[in-house]
């Protein structure tokens, strides 16, 4: 009987069933990963998924400083490199999805923003992510591609912060990810602009070296990369990574 119980326990561990999985994920993954976490828990009885959503650069710093986590999903390869360079990634990260910027504006677009050049009009208040945050780095690339120079009214530490400024009426526009604008639903409008194609962000994901539940971590990464996981991410507005 003891052998039988040990075998059953081993099967559960190998499948990732049981225990807690802690996932550090970019703020722009909040809605889709929250749903995927619930779906994963349903598919893996006895497992609990806990998320820490924030700007990728802040999460990378927390991980390298020893914060307990099993999985890291970043919004850029640059922020993931902070973790891999520190030896905190168990294996090579894989690109999960891609994301692209839009201009978020109040419903009805009262300031008639049609592209990046309009953000530089006198009196226009714009929210950007800080440069060290992936959405901020992407915004800089897009603005450079358009030859637009502007002084933002605020620099936020993650994309949710930039989006909130538009929702609260504190700014006239913000450069955010397409997925976050879509998650806002009818509260805001999203203005597409061609230069966003020059600032697409890849989202890498990896199991962490010091994962407390490595089997659960591997199972979660496999789940979000599965057809079911990709369907949730695509519905949120994420793009599939380029085929290799």
């Amino acid at each position: 009987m003891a052998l039988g119980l040990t075998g059953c326990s081993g099967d559960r561990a190998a499948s990732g069933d049981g225990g807690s999985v802690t996932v550090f994920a970019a703020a722009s993954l909040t809605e889709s990963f929250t749903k995927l976490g619930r779906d994963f828990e349903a598919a893996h009885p006895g497992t609990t998924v806990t998320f820490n959503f924030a700007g990728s650069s802040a999460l990378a710093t927390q991980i390298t400083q020893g914060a307990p986590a099993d999985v890291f999903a970043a919004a850029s390869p640059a922020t993931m490199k902070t973790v891999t360079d520190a030896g905190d990634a168990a294996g090579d990260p894989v690109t999960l999805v891609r994301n692209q910027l839009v201009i978020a504006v109040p419903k009805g677009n009262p300031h008639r923003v049609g592209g990046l050049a309009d953000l530089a009009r006198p009196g226009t208040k714009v929210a950007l992510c800080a440069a060290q945050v992936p959405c901020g780095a992407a915004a800089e690339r897009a603005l450079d591609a358009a030859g637009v120079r502007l002084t933002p009214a605020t620099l936020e530490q993650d994309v949710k912060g930039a989006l909130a400024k538009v929702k609260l009426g504190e700014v006239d526009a913000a450069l955010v990810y397409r997925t976050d604008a879509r998650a806002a639903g009818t509260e805001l409008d999203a203005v597409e602009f061609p230069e966003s194609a020059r600032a697409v962000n890849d989202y890498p994901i990896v199991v962490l070296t010091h994962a407390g539940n490595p089997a659960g971590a591997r199972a979660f990464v496999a789940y979000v990369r599965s057809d079911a996981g990709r369907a949730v991410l695509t519905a949120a507005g994420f793009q599939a990574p380029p085929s290799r």
Side-chain angles (χ1 to χ4, degrees), residues 105-109 167 180-190:
V105 296
K107 194 67 182 173
N109 194 4
K167 290 181 179 180
D180 293 285
R182 181 176 294 190
T186 59
E187 294 182 71
L188 304 171
D189 285 339

Side-chain angles (χ1 to χ4, degrees), residues 29 95-99 201-204 230 233 238-241:
L29 290 165
T95 301
L96 178 63
V97 288
R98 313 183 91 191
N99 212 349
N201 274 12
D202 288 344
Y203 282 51
R230 288 284 171 81
L233 291 162
F238 288 99
Q239 303 167 32

Side-chain angles (χ1 to χ4, degrees), residues 108-234:
N109 194 4
H111 298 279
R112 299 293 180 262
V113 174
L116 292 180
D118 294 333
L119 300 182
R121 290 187 308 220
T124 302
K125 292 183 289 185
V126 180
L128 299 179
C129 294
Q132 71 270 20
V133 181
C135 62
E140 285 190 349
R141 295 198 303 274
L143 290 166
D144 286 346
V148 173
R149 298 289 179 268
L150 60 84
T151 301
T154 179
L155 291 171
E156 299 298 316
Q157 292 306 306
D158 61 50
V159 68
K160 297 299 186 188
L163 196 69
K165 295 295 183 181
V166 184
K167 290 181 179 180
L168 294 170
E170 296 180 10
V171 299
D172 305 314
L175 281 173
V176 303
Y177 292 122
R178 181 181 291 162
T179 53
D180 293 285
R182 181 176 294 190
T186 59
E187 294 182 71
L188 304 171
D189 285 339
V191 178
E192 300 277 352
F193 58 95
E195 295 85 1
S196 66
R198 305 277 292 274
V200 177
N201 274 12
D202 288 344
Y203 282 51
I205 188 170
V206 74
V207 174
L208 295 170
T209 303
H210 303 293
N213 184 359
R218 290 190 295 270
F220 180 81
V221 171
Y223 186 80
V224 298
R225 297 184 67 206
S226 69
D227 289 344
R230 288 284 171 81
V232 171
L233 291 162
T234 300

Side-chain angles (χ1 to χ4, degrees), residues 24 56 58-69 71-73 83 86 88-89 208 210:
F24 280 32
S56 295
L59 294 174
T61 298
Q62 291 173 28
I63 291 167
T64 58
Q65 291 180 347
V71 175
F72 180 38
V83 171
D88 289 318
L208 295 170
H210 303 293

